[in-house]
């Protein structure tokens, strides 16, 4: 990789940017950080892609304190992922979030990589989950000749599968016994800045196969 221009300036920009951020917030509301420091009570858990172009707060015009966020490559919900499961449990049980959103995005490098046969390394173990989504839907996907359109559809199918994975988790099912929790699947368009709601709403175990329903 080419060395990027001025290493020091590149790094300083973030700290300078932080000073501006802090100052601007305090100009608008001198109590802004004091109020935030009292605690968080977010209504939403966002499970999104690590892609630098899909920042949860920015694309939803929300403020600090409003969204609990977990991001990984290609927004996957994997039941053996201790990190995600801890975030999910904490968000539902201790923060009491009401909406869990899986937000994928068109033009996802992870989805593209999973669609190919290129070997990238460790990430291939992770992307295997998307290959499984492809395999499960291969009749539909193979019928789409245009590669970009096929990637877009796989992106959507992947989001739908991850929302189902949430519904299959004991954490979510336990919470459903106590209160309403809504699971949503979204796709963000990097070239439009707009979110498409895929209308995959799960609010109970009715939508998943009986084998995945725990007796609670
Ligand atoms: Co992505």
């Amino acid at each position: 990789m080419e060395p990027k221009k001025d290493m020091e300036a590149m790094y300083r920009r973030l700290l300078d940017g932080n000073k501006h951020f802090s100052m601007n917030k305090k100009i608008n509301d001198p109590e802004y950080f004091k109020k935030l420091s009292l605690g968080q009570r977010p209504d939403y858990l966002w499970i999104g892609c690590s892609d630098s172009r899909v920042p949860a707060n920015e694309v939803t015009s929300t403020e600090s304190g409003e969204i609990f966020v977990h991001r990984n490559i290609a927004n996957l919900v994997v039941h053996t992922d201790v990190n995600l499961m801890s975030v999910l449990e904490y968000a539902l049980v201790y923060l009491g979030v009401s909406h869990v959103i899986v937000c994928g995005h068109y033009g996802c490098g992870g989805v593209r990589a999973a669609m190919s046969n290129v070997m990238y390394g460790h990430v291939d173990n992770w992307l295997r989950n998307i290959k499984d989504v492809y395999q499960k839907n291969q009749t539909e996907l193979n019928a789409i000749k245009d590669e970009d359109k096929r990637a877009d559809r796989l992106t959507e199918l992947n989001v739908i599968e991850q929302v189902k994975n949430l519904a299959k988790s004991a954490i979510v099912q336990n919470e459903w016994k106590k209160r309403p929790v809504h699971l949503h699947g979204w796709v963000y368009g990097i070239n439009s800045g707009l979110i498409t709601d895929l209308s995959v709403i799960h609010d109970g175990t009715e939508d998943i196969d009986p084998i995945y329903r725990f007796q609670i």
Side-chain angles (χ1 to χ4, degrees):
M1 235 180 250
E2 288 270 302
K4 291 186 182 171
K5 40 195 172 147
D6 187 336
M7 294 284 286
E8 176 66 14
M10 190 201 297
Y11 166 75
R12 290 298 324 171
R13 192 163 75 86
L14 299 190
L15 295 171
D16 291 344
N18 170 254
K19 288 199 184 83
H20 282 120
F21 161 77
S22 171
M23 208 165 61
N24 281 332
K25 290 293 180 193
K26 281 186 270 195
I27 287 168
N28 287 327
D29 178 4
E31 302 291 296
Y32 185 80
F33 293 106
K34 202 177 163 191
K35 282 188 247 169
L36 276 181
S37 70
L38 298 175
Q40 59 168 336
R41 196 79 185 143
D43 291 325
Y44 317 93
L45 166 61
W46 172 283
I47 299 170
C49 184
S50 299
D51 194 302
S52 59
R53 299 163 297 177
V54 197
N57 284 123
E58 208 175 326
V59 304
T60 54
S61 297
T62 47
E63 285 289 327
S64 300
E66 292 193 85
I67 308 184
F68 203 61
V69 174
H70 176 86
R71 291 166 72 178
N72 61 44
I73 292 175
N75 40 271
L76 300 180
V77 175
V78 179
H79 286 192
T80 50
D81 179 354
V82 187
N83 186 350
L84 180 128
M85 287 298 146
S86 304
V87 167
L88 181 63
E89 183 180 63
Y90 190 74
L92 288 175
V93 178
Y94 298 98
L95 295 175
V97 305
S98 310
H99 296 273
V100 182
I101 297 150
V102 176
C103 187
H105 66 100
Y106 296 120
C108 183
V111 170
R112 275 285 179 167
M115 258 175 68
S116 81
N117 294 98
V118 178
M119 189 189 282
Y120 289 95
H122 187 66
V123 75
D124 295 320
N125 297 310
W126 186 248
L127 298 178
R128 223 316 283 285
N129 295 288
I130 309 177
K131 286 184 187 287
D132 290 345
V133 177
Y134 192 106
Q135 198 263 344
K136 212 169 157 182
N137 299 279
Q138 58 181 330
T139 312
E140 179 188 346
L141 289 166
N142 288 339
I144 306 170
K145 292 293 162 233
D146 184 274
E147 211 179 313
D148 291 334
K149 288 201 176 79
R150 195 167 359 120
D152 286 353
R153 185 58 185 148
L154 180 56
T155 298
E156 294 168 359
L157 291 168
N158 181 48
V159 165
I160 293 165
E161 197 65 30
Q162 305 319 314
V163 176
K164 278 187 192 156
N165 285 343
L166 284 173
K168 292 172 189 172
S169 71
I171 297 168
V172 167
Q173 290 187 26
N174 262 319
E175 214 53 25
W176 273 337
K177 291 285 171 194
K178 299 177 207 153
R179 65 189 180 94
V181 173
H182 289 253
L183 312 179
H184 310 267
W186 292 356
V187 183
Y188 174 76
I190 285 174
N191 57 8
S192 66
L194 292 172
I195 288 166
T196 305
D197 187 342
L198 297 176
S199 302
V200 272
I201 302 166
H202 287 274
D203 53 10
T205 51
E206 300 77 30
D207 299 323
I208 51 170
D209 287 344
I211 192 70
Y212 297 112
R213 298 176 199 161
F214 294 109
Q215 285 175 335
I216 301 164

